[in-house]
């Protein structure tokens, strides 16, 4: 953990605290406190600094708490949990959980207050101000059908949409293959990675990132945070629990006869592309098509201008509307 993150849980939003008091608690000098506060501000933490009064957060933050999360996980998930860890700062939660190498049938979960080398699809960097959003990764080895493995980003999308709709009553929709939207603004994304032979319980890592109180700046598309749609404080512990509990329920359902078919049908209920004219960005060209849902393998079904329908997978295209 970087030393500066020791300051974060001591800061309050309802009262100023002097630099000397904070320095005494932390066992450092007042200039060190000032330096750490400045670094946190550079990372996106909104801190009010007033000479003679000290430091105060501009708004309350919801820090992740391992004990609270563990106590509220479903008993069925706790029974297969191998690791649950909350990191203050980390390069990548996906990398961390994959390194835990959970045993067959077991789950490893990691969330971070700040992730400085988070990745999206095609290696894009994804960063978030500390203690503002939700970044959680789950690594597991389950007896999932091959089609469920390859459709894992869609299944994680179903789980996340269920959780947010149930907990917050927000109209979350899904954009193939791995994005979460509210109306036409991006709320978050999912990154799935597979390690090993699909025929032999491979390691599946599912990373989920959600804009909770802040949205990224400088994107080439509209973005939204849950705080813009929900009144009152948002508890990231509660959101994390809801998401991973639903993910466990969804992946359990995917292992049952007919479960994957049901889940892909449910994904279709949240589909924000169906019936829309979209542009497929292929490796060397683009094509305007109409989105027609997904097939039984979770591939996007599209209709070309000549009426021909065909399926594409996430490794082939990027969709823009």
């Amino acid at each position: 953990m970087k030393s500066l993150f020791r300051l974060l849980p001591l800061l309050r939003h309802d009262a100023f605290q002097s630099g000397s008091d904070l320095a005494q608690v932390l066992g450092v000098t007042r200039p060190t406190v000032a330096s750490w506060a400045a670094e946190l501000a550079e990372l996106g933490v909104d801190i009010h600094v007033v000479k003679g009064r000290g430091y105060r957060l501009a708004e309350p933050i919801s820090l992740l708490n391992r004990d609270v999360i563990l106590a509220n996980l479903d008993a069925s998930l706790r029974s297969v949990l191998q690791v649950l860890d909350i990191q203050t700062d980390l390069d990548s939660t996906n990398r961390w959980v994959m390194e835990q190498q959970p045993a067959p049938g077991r789950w490893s979960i990691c969330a971070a207050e700040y992730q400085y080398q988070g990745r999206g699809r095609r290696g894009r960097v994804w960063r978030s101000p500390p203690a503002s959003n939700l970044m959680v990764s789950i690594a597991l080895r389950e007896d999932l059908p091959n089609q469920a493995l390859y459709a894992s980003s869609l299944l994680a999308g179903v789980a996340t949409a269920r959780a947010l709709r149930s907990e917050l009553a927000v109209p979350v929709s899904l954009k193939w293959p791995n994005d979460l939207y509210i109306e036409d603004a991006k709320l978050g994304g999912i990154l799935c990675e597979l390690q090993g032979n699909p025929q032999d319980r491979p390691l599946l890592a599912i990373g989920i990132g959600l804009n909770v109180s802040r949205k990224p700046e400088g994107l080439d598309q509209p973005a939204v945070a849950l705080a813009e749609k929900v009144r009152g404080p948002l508890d990231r512990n509660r959101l994390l629990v809801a998401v991973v509990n639903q993910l466990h329920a969804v992946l359990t359902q995917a292992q049952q006869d007919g479960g994957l078919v049901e889940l892909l049908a449910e994904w279709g209920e949240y589909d924000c592309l169906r019936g829309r004219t979209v542009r497929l960005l292929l490796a060397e060209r683009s094509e305007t098509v109409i989105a027609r849902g997904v097939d039984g393998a979770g591939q996007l079904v599209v209709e070309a201008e000549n009426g021909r329908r065909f399926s594409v997978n996430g490794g082939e295209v990027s969709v823009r509307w």
Side-chain angles (χ1 to χ4, degrees), residues 66 77-84 97 100-109 139:
R66 182 184 183 278
L77 176 51
R78 287 200 304 271
S79 70
V80 300
L81 192 61
Q82 179 169 308
V83 176
L84 171 61
V97 291
Q100 306 313 302
Q101 292 292 314
R106 306 300 296 276
W107 284 42
S108 294
I109 301 173

Side-chain angles (χ1 to χ4, degrees), residues 78-145:
R78 287 200 304 271
S79 70
V80 300
L81 192 61
Q82 179 169 308
V83 176
L84 171 61
D85 195 70
I86 306 300
Q87 295 278 334
T88 302
D89 58 305
L90 194 65
D91 56 351
S92 165
T93 53
N94 260 30
R95 178 201 59 76
W96 194 93
V97 291
M98 294 181 80
E99 286 185 351
Q100 306 313 302
Q101 292 292 314
R106 306 300 296 276
W107 284 42
S108 294
I109 301 173
C110 176
E113 297 287 8
Y114 177 62
Q115 182 177 235
Y116 51 88
Q117 288 183 7
R119 290 167 292 135
R121 290 185 70 220
R122 305 181 188 276
R124 298 185 181 95
V125 175
W126 191 86
R127 290 192 180 93
S128 169
S132 60
N133 297 323
L134 188 61
M135 295 155 289
V136 59
S137 292
I138 305 95
L140 53 98
R141 297 182 190 273
E142 296 281 4
D143 285 323
L144 289 167

